[in-house]
Amino acid sequence: MRLVILDNYDLASEWAAKYICNRIIQFKPGQDRYFTLGLPTGSTPLGCYKKLIEYHKNGHLSFKYVKTFNMDEYVGLPRNHPESYHSYMWNNFFKHIDIDPNNAHILDGNAADLQAECDAFEKKIKEAGGIDLFVGGIGPDGHIAFNEPGSSLVSRTRLKTLAMDTILANAKYFDGDLSKVPTMALTVGVGTVMDAREVMILITGAHKAFALYKAIEEGVNHMWTVSAFQQHPRTIFVCDEDATLELRVKTVKYFKGLMHVHNKLVDPLFSMKNGN
């Protein structure tokens, strides 16, 4: 496990975007070899998406041979609703890049058979050869995707009832009206994300600091589902300084010390500055 600590949100977003960019380029995707990327929604990844769009428009990155699988989608919200995750992904990312719409997979929260939709999503991931890099964010209560506290750490894609904390957090997207916030969602499971060959989790802001502490410094606990990724062989937590406020000083110093080594070896900022 790696913890990458940047000074602020913008630098954390840039680091994450350059890491994704490097991974895709190094993979050398082609017609018979697609790179498969798992993607989140919410406010945290917006800066990362803006940077990826910038790299694409500058000619540094193509998504022509990339397949994406999104983490979740609300149940019962029309696909064209401005707050659906379909709308979010197309408005904030997909329509600005060269991805084939057929390769951008998002769960259908209006499917006639929701369990069949979840099973089909798992099948599509398997048929794509699994996910090379799953990017995620977390809630203040440490949930990843909509795997709320108490979720099974080996769960698969399924229907979930949203916790009140999540509904309250999402109310800002629905004019602060709790009655408009969906109470159920389709979500990939913790086990689904754990199956990815690599996982990168973005955690920014002081309001996520306790969740980062639980993810890094305490044990694996289904009440903090992000903690499961301690057991993944290739997990990177990317955070800003504000998110480290609950960590022990020696923990921060330890991981910052490792960054000096990684900067010379695999840090995407270092490699791209040097044109590698």
Side-chain angles (χ1 to χ4, degrees), residues 206-238:
H207 63 301
K208 305 281 182 74
F210 193 67
L212 180 61
Y213 158 71
K214 286 286 188 178
I216 297 289
E217 292 191 348
E218 292 207 346
V220 175
N221 184 337
H222 71 165
M223 295 305 292
W224 297 84
T225 52
V226 67
S227 66
F229 296 93
Q230 293 177 22
Q231 298 188 316
H232 192 284
R234 293 191 70 185
T235 296
I236 302 176
F237 291 90
V238 181

mmCIF file of all heavy atoms in Angstrom, residues 206-238:
data_model
loop_
_atom_site.group_PDB
_atom_site.id
_atom_site.type_symbol
_atom_site.label_atom_id
_atom_site.label_comp_id
_atom_site.label_asym_id
_atom_site.label_seq_id
_atom_site.Cartn_x
_atom_site.Cartn_y
_atom_site.Cartn_z
ATOM 1 N N ALA A 206 -10.503 18.040 4.853
ATOM 2 C CA ALA A 206 -10.480 17.726 6.277
ATOM 3 C C ALA A 206 -11.667 16.856 6.697
ATOM 4 O O ALA A 206 -11.566 16.074 7.650
ATOM 5 C CB ALA A 206 -10.468 19.025 7.086
ATOM 6 N N HIS A 207 -12.786 16.962 5.978
ATOM 7 C CA HIS A 207 -13.969 16.169 6.335
ATOM 8 C C HIS A 207 -13.790 14.686 6.026
ATOM 9 O O HIS A 207 -14.599 13.861 6.464
ATOM 10 C CB HIS A 207 -15.211 16.719 5.625
ATOM 11 C CG HIS A 207 -15.156 16.640 4.128
ATOM 12 N ND1 HIS A 207 -14.175 17.261 3.385
ATOM 13 C CD2 HIS A 207 -15.966 16.020 3.231
ATOM 14 C CE1 HIS A 207 -14.375 17.023 2.109
ATOM 15 N NE2 HIS A 207 -15.448 16.278 1.987
ATOM 16 N N LYS A 208 -12.723 14.339 5.292
ATOM 17 C CA LYS A 208 -12.419 12.929 5.019
ATOM 18 C C LYS A 208 -11.256 12.419 5.890
ATOM 19 O O LYS A 208 -10.834 11.274 5.735
ATOM 20 C CB LYS A 208 -12.044 12.750 3.538
ATOM 21 C CG LYS A 208 -13.074 13.267 2.523
ATOM 22 C CD LYS A 208 -14.224 12.313 2.354
ATOM 23 C CE LYS A 208 -15.216 12.827 1.296
ATOM 24 N NZ LYS A 208 -14.731 12.692 -0.068
ATOM 25 N N ALA A 209 -10.744 13.266 6.781
ATOM 26 C CA ALA A 209 -9.534 12.934 7.536
ATOM 27 C C ALA A 209 -9.725 11.719 8.449
ATOM 28 O O ALA A 209 -8.848 10.858 8.540
ATOM 29 C CB ALA A 209 -9.064 14.140 8.347
ATOM 30 N N PHE A 210 -10.870 11.633 9.119
ATOM 31 C CA PHE A 210 -11.078 10.503 10.023
ATOM 32 C C PHE A 210 -11.224 9.208 9.229
ATOM 33 O O PHE A 210 -10.743 8.148 9.659
ATOM 34 C CB PHE A 210 -12.311 10.736 10.902
ATOM 35 C CG PHE A 210 -12.398 9.775 12.060
ATOM 36 C CD1 PHE A 210 -11.466 9.815 13.082
ATOM 37 C CD2 PHE A 210 -13.414 8.836 12.122
ATOM 38 C CE1 PHE A 210 -11.544 8.928 14.155
ATOM 39 C CE2 PHE A 210 -13.498 7.941 13.178
ATOM 40 C CZ PHE A 210 -12.561 7.994 14.203
ATOM 41 N N ALA A 211 -11.849 9.296 8.069
ATOM 42 C CA ALA A 211 -11.987 8.108 7.219
ATOM 43 C C ALA A 211 -10.608 7.634 6.734
ATOM 44 O O ALA A 211 -10.349 6.427 6.681
ATOM 45 C CB ALA A 211 -12.895 8.414 6.022
ATOM 46 N N LEU A 212 -9.718 8.571 6.389
ATOM 47 C CA LEU A 212 -8.370 8.179 5.970
ATOM 48 C C LEU A 212 -7.624 7.526 7.132
ATOM 49 O O LEU A 212 -6.914 6.537 6.945
ATOM 50 C CB LEU A 212 -7.588 9.388 5.456
ATOM 51 C CG LEU A 212 -6.154 9.104 4.992
ATOM 52 C CD1 LEU A 212 -6.136 8.106 3.836
ATOM 53 C CD2 LEU A 212 -5.448 10.396 4.589
ATOM 54 N N TYR A 213 -7.791 8.074 8.324
ATOM 55 C CA TYR A 213 -7.188 7.467 9.514
ATOM 56 C C TYR A 213 -7.663 6.022 9.679
ATOM 57 O O TYR A 213 -6.860 5.109 9.917
ATOM 58 C CB TYR A 213 -7.545 8.301 10.745
ATOM 59 C CG TYR A 213 -7.453 7.563 12.052
ATOM 60 C CD1 TYR A 213 -6.212 7.210 12.588
ATOM 61 C CD2 TYR A 213 -8.605 7.225 12.755
ATOM 62 C CE1 TYR A 213 -6.139 6.517 13.796
ATOM 63 C CE2 TYR A 213 -8.538 6.545 13.955
ATOM 64 C CZ TYR A 213 -7.303 6.194 14.476
ATOM 65 O OH TYR A 213 -7.230 5.502 15.659
ATOM 66 N N LYS A 214 -8.961 5.806 9.534
ATOM 67 C CA LYS A 214 -9.513 4.453 9.666
ATOM 68 C C LYS A 214 -9.000 3.535 8.552
ATOM 69 O O LYS A 214 -8.785 2.342 8.756
ATOM 70 C CB LYS A 214 -11.043 4.511 9.627
ATOM 71 C CG LYS A 214 -11.684 5.059 10.888
ATOM 72 C CD LYS A 214 -11.621 4.037 12.004
ATOM 73 C CE LYS A 214 -12.420 4.468 13.216
ATOM 74 N NZ LYS A 214 -12.390 3.445 14.289
ATOM 75 N N ALA A 215 -8.793 4.100 7.370
ATOM 76 C CA ALA A 215 -8.339 3.301 6.226
ATOM 77 C C ALA A 215 -6.879 2.891 6.353
ATOM 78 O O ALA A 215 -6.487 1.809 5.913
ATOM 79 C CB ALA A 215 -8.532 4.097 4.938
ATOM 80 N N ILE A 216 -6.065 3.758 6.969
ATOM 81 C CA ILE A 216 -4.618 3.565 6.983
ATOM 82 C C ILE A 216 -4.100 2.986 8.301
ATOM 83 O O ILE A 216 -3.289 2.059 8.312
ATOM 84 C CB ILE A 216 -3.905 4.923 6.726
ATOM 85 C CG1 ILE A 216 -4.258 5.459 5.354
ATOM 86 C CG2 ILE A 216 -2.392 4.777 6.888
ATOM 87 C CD1 ILE A 216 -3.662 4.709 4.204
ATOM 88 N N GLU A 217 -4.575 3.522 9.408
ATOM 89 C CA GLU A 217 -3.938 3.237 10.694
ATOM 90 C C GLU A 217 -4.657 2.205 11.554
ATOM 91 O O GLU A 217 -4.082 1.715 12.518
ATOM 92 C CB GLU A 217 -3.754 4.536 11.497
ATOM 93 C CG GLU A 217 -2.740 5.474 10.864
ATOM 94 C CD GLU A 217 -2.355 6.633 11.772
ATOM 95 O OE1 GLU A 217 -3.026 6.841 12.797
ATOM 96 O OE2 GLU A 217 -1.383 7.325 11.443
ATOM 97 N N GLU A 218 -5.902 1.904 11.240
ATOM 98 C CA GLU A 218 -6.602 0.887 12.015
ATOM 99 C C GLU A 218 -6.813 -0.357 11.146
ATOM 100 O O GLU A 218 -6.438 -0.388 9.980
ATOM 101 C CB GLU A 218 -7.910 1.451 12.558
ATOM 102 C CG GLU A 218 -7.671 2.526 13.614
ATOM 103 C CD GLU A 218 -8.800 2.642 14.610
ATOM 104 O OE1 GLU A 218 -9.898 2.097 14.368
ATOM 105 O OE2 GLU A 218 -8.582 3.291 15.653
ATOM 106 N N GLY A 219 -7.393 -1.385 11.734
ATOM 107 C CA GLY A 219 -7.534 -2.657 11.041
ATOM 108 C C GLY A 219 -8.666 -2.671 10.035
ATOM 109 O O GLY A 219 -9.435 -1.716 9.912
ATOM 110 N N VAL A 220 -8.763 -3.765 9.311
ATOM 111 C CA VAL A 220 -9.831 -3.956 8.335
ATOM 112 C C VAL A 220 -11.150 -4.106 9.085
ATOM 113 O O VAL A 220 -11.258 -4.903 10.022
ATOM 114 C CB VAL A 220 -9.554 -5.183 7.453
ATOM 115 C CG1 VAL A 220 -10.722 -5.448 6.513
ATOM 116 C CG2 VAL A 220 -8.263 -4.989 6.672
ATOM 117 N N ASN A 221 -12.154 -3.336 8.666
ATOM 118 C CA ASN A 221 -13.407 -3.281 9.401
ATOM 119 C C ASN A 221 -14.535 -2.993 8.428
ATOM 120 O O ASN A 221 -14.485 -1.999 7.704
ATOM 121 C CB ASN A 221 -13.301 -2.165 10.458
ATOM 122 C CG ASN A 221 -14.513 -2.075 11.358
ATOM 123 O OD1 ASN A 221 -15.610 -2.503 11.025
ATOM 124 N ND2 ASN A 221 -14.308 -1.482 12.526
ATOM 125 N N HIS A 222 -15.563 -3.850 8.416
ATOM 126 C CA HIS A 222 -16.655 -3.635 7.455
ATOM 127 C C HIS A 222 -17.475 -2.384 7.739
ATOM 128 O O HIS A 222 -18.267 -1.971 6.895
ATOM 129 C CB HIS A 222 -17.552 -4.866 7.380
ATOM 130 C CG HIS A 222 -18.400 -5.097 8.592
ATOM 131 N ND1 HIS A 222 -19.473 -5.953 8.590
ATOM 132 C CD2 HIS A 222 -18.325 -4.605 9.851
ATOM 133 C CE1 HIS A 222 -20.036 -5.967 9.786
ATOM 134 N NE2 HIS A 222 -19.349 -5.152 10.562
ATOM 135 N N MET A 223 -17.274 -1.763 8.905
ATOM 136 C CA MET A 223 -17.945 -0.485 9.164
ATOM 137 C C MET A 223 -17.231 0.675 8.469
ATOM 138 O O MET A 223 -17.765 1.775 8.377
ATOM 139 C CB MET A 223 -18.038 -0.217 10.670
ATOM 140 C CG MET A 223 -18.922 -1.229 11.406
ATOM 141 S SD MET A 223 -20.596 -1.370 10.713
ATOM 142 C CE MET A 223 -21.282 0.232 11.140
ATOM 143 N N TRP A 224 -16.022 0.441 7.998
ATOM 144 C CA TRP A 224 -15.248 1.415 7.206
ATOM 145 C C TRP A 224 -14.758 0.654 5.981
ATOM 146 O O TRP A 224 -13.641 0.131 5.964
ATOM 147 C CB TRP A 224 -14.082 1.990 8.023
ATOM 148 C CG TRP A 224 -14.545 2.743 9.218
ATOM 149 C CD1 TRP A 224 -14.881 2.235 10.447
ATOM 150 C CD2 TRP A 224 -14.789 4.153 9.289
ATOM 151 N NE1 TRP A 224 -15.303 3.245 11.267
ATOM 152 C CE2 TRP A 224 -15.261 4.431 10.601
ATOM 153 C CE3 TRP A 224 -14.646 5.212 8.385
ATOM 154 C CZ2 TRP A 224 -15.587 5.719 11.023
ATOM 155 C CZ3 TRP A 224 -14.975 6.500 8.799
ATOM 156 C CH2 TRP A 224 -15.439 6.747 10.095
ATOM 157 N N THR A 225 -15.596 0.552 4.965
ATOM 158 C CA THR A 225 -15.326 -0.393 3.880
ATOM 159 C C THR A 225 -14.033 -0.084 3.120
ATOM 160 O O THR A 225 -13.413 -0.981 2.567
ATOM 161 C CB THR A 225 -16.516 -0.466 2.899
ATOM 162 O OG1 THR A 225 -16.885 0.839 2.471
ATOM 163 C CG2 THR A 225 -17.712 -1.123 3.571
ATOM 164 N N VAL A 226 -13.602 1.176 3.121
ATOM 165 C CA VAL A 226 -12.354 1.516 2.433
ATOM 166 C C VAL A 226 -11.162 0.816 3.082
ATOM 167 O O VAL A 226 -10.131 0.607 2.429
ATOM 168 C CB VAL A 226 -12.146 3.048 2.409
ATOM 169 C CG1 VAL A 226 -11.907 3.605 3.808
ATOM 170 C CG2 VAL A 226 -11.010 3.431 1.483
ATOM 171 N N SER A 227 -11.282 0.423 4.342
ATOM 172 C CA SER A 227 -10.164 -0.241 5.031
ATOM 173 C C SER A 227 -9.820 -1.588 4.405
ATOM 174 O O SER A 227 -8.715 -2.100 4.597
ATOM 175 C CB SER A 227 -10.487 -0.433 6.516
ATOM 176 O OG SER A 227 -11.559 -1.346 6.705
ATOM 177 N N ALA A 228 -10.745 -2.157 3.635
ATOM 178 C CA ALA A 228 -10.490 -3.456 2.987
ATOM 179 C C ALA A 228 -9.283 -3.394 2.063
ATOM 180 O O ALA A 228 -8.606 -4.408 1.847
ATOM 181 C CB ALA A 228 -11.725 -3.899 2.197
ATOM 182 N N PHE A 229 -8.979 -2.208 1.553
ATOM 183 C CA PHE A 229 -7.922 -2.091 0.549
ATOM 184 C C PHE A 229 -6.520 -2.130 1.148
ATOM 185 O O PHE A 229 -5.531 -2.141 0.422
ATOM 186 C CB PHE A 229 -8.172 -0.870 -0.335
ATOM 187 C CG PHE A 229 -9.441 -1.041 -1.113
ATOM 188 C CD1 PHE A 229 -10.648 -0.554 -0.629
ATOM 189 C CD2 PHE A 229 -9.452 -1.788 -2.281
ATOM 190 C CE1 PHE A 229 -11.830 -0.782 -1.310
ATOM 191 C CE2 PHE A 229 -10.632 -2.023 -2.973
ATOM 192 C CZ PHE A 229 -11.820 -1.522 -2.484
ATOM 193 N N GLN A 230 -6.446 -2.218 2.471
ATOM 194 C CA GLN A 230 -5.168 -2.550 3.105
ATOM 195 C C GLN A 230 -4.679 -3.909 2.611
ATOM 196 O O GLN A 230 -3.476 -4.173 2.570
ATOM 197 C CB GLN A 230 -5.319 -2.608 4.628
ATOM 198 C CG GLN A 230 -5.616 -1.289 5.300
ATOM 199 C CD GLN A 230 -5.816 -1.464 6.794
ATOM 200 O OE1 GLN A 230 -5.353 -2.434 7.388
ATOM 201 N NE2 GLN A 230 -6.508 -0.519 7.418
ATOM 202 N N GLN A 231 -5.616 -4.775 2.242
ATOM 203 C CA GLN A 231 -5.280 -6.147 1.864
ATOM 204 C C GLN A 231 -5.117 -6.337 0.359
ATOM 205 O O GLN A 231 -4.889 -7.452 -0.096
ATOM 206 C CB GLN A 231 -6.346 -7.100 2.407
ATOM 207 C CG GLN A 231 -6.419 -7.094 3.926
ATOM 208 C CD GLN A 231 -7.337 -8.167 4.464
ATOM 209 O OE1 GLN A 231 -8.439 -8.381 3.946
ATOM 210 N NE2 GLN A 231 -6.897 -8.860 5.494
ATOM 211 N N HIS A 232 -5.245 -5.249 -0.390
ATOM 212 C CA HIS A 232 -5.033 -5.351 -1.842
ATOM 213 C C HIS A 232 -3.533 -5.219 -2.125
ATOM 214 O O HIS A 232 -2.859 -4.362 -1.555
ATOM 215 C CB HIS A 232 -5.808 -4.251 -2.568
ATOM 216 C CG HIS A 232 -5.884 -4.451 -4.046
ATOM 217 N ND1 HIS A 232 -4.818 -4.196 -4.900
ATOM 218 C CD2 HIS A 232 -6.892 -4.901 -4.843
ATOM 219 C CE1 HIS A 232 -5.167 -4.468 -6.138
ATOM 220 N NE2 HIS A 232 -6.429 -4.895 -6.125
ATOM 221 N N PRO A 233 -2.990 -6.036 -3.025
ATOM 222 C CA PRO A 233 -1.542 -5.985 -3.281
ATOM 223 C C PRO A 233 -1.051 -4.701 -3.932
ATOM 224 O O PRO A 233 0.137 -4.372 -3.834
ATOM 225 C CB PRO A 233 -1.299 -7.187 -4.205
ATOM 226 C CG PRO A 233 -2.637 -7.501 -4.809
ATOM 227 C CD PRO A 233 -3.644 -7.134 -3.766
ATOM 228 N N ARG A 234 -1.944 -3.941 -4.593
ATOM 229 C CA ARG A 234 -1.517 -2.705 -5.251
ATOM 230 C C ARG A 234 -2.565 -1.618 -5.046
ATOM 231 O O ARG A 234 -3.396 -1.350 -5.915
ATOM 232 C CB ARG A 234 -1.279 -2.929 -6.749
ATOM 233 C CG ARG A 234 -0.105 -3.843 -7.060
ATOM 234 C CD ARG A 234 0.248 -3.821 -8.533
ATOM 235 N NE ARG A 234 0.834 -2.553 -8.923
ATOM 236 C CZ ARG A 234 1.146 -2.220 -10.175
ATOM 237 N NH1 ARG A 234 0.903 -3.080 -11.164
ATOM 238 N NH2 ARG A 234 1.673 -1.047 -10.452
ATOM 239 N N THR A 235 -2.524 -0.997 -3.881
ATOM 240 C CA THR A 235 -3.426 0.112 -3.567
ATOM 241 C C THR A 235 -2.614 1.382 -3.382
ATOM 242 O O THR A 235 -1.578 1.377 -2.712
ATOM 243 C CB THR A 235 -4.217 -0.150 -2.267
ATOM 244 O OG1 THR A 235 -5.063 -1.287 -2.439
ATOM 245 C CG2 THR A 235 -5.095 1.047 -1.929
ATOM 246 N N ILE A 236 -3.088 2.469 -3.970
ATOM 247 C CA ILE A 236 -2.509 3.797 -3.746
ATOM 248 C C ILE A 236 -3.608 4.717 -3.227
ATOM 249 O O ILE A 236 -4.658 4.859 -3.860
ATOM 250 C CB ILE A 236 -1.941 4.402 -5.050
ATOM 251 C CG1 ILE A 236 -0.884 3.495 -5.663
ATOM 252 C CG2 ILE A 236 -1.344 5.782 -4.780
ATOM 253 C CD1 ILE A 236 -0.359 3.999 -6.997
ATOM 254 N N PHE A 237 -3.385 5.303 -2.064
ATOM 255 C CA PHE A 237 -4.255 6.351 -1.551
ATOM 256 C C PHE A 237 -3.606 7.684 -1.929
ATOM 257 O O PHE A 237 -2.442 7.926 -1.576
ATOM 258 C CB PHE A 237 -4.396 6.268 -0.034
ATOM 259 C CG PHE A 237 -5.172 5.079 0.457
ATOM 260 C CD1 PHE A 237 -4.530 3.885 0.758
ATOM 261 C CD2 PHE A 237 -6.548 5.150 0.624
ATOM 262 C CE1 PHE A 237 -5.234 2.791 1.216
ATOM 263 C CE2 PHE A 237 -7.263 4.052 1.076
ATOM 264 C CZ PHE A 237 -6.614 2.869 1.378
ATOM 265 N N VAL A 238 -4.330 8.536 -2.634
ATOM 266 C CA VAL A 238 -3.824 9.853 -3.017
ATOM 267 C C VAL A 238 -4.625 10.893 -2.239
ATOM 268 O O VAL A 238 -5.863 10.935 -2.344
ATOM 269 C CB VAL A 238 -3.970 10.092 -4.529
ATOM 270 C CG1 VAL A 238 -3.417 11.465 -4.905
ATOM 271 C CG2 VAL A 238 -3.259 9.004 -5.320
#
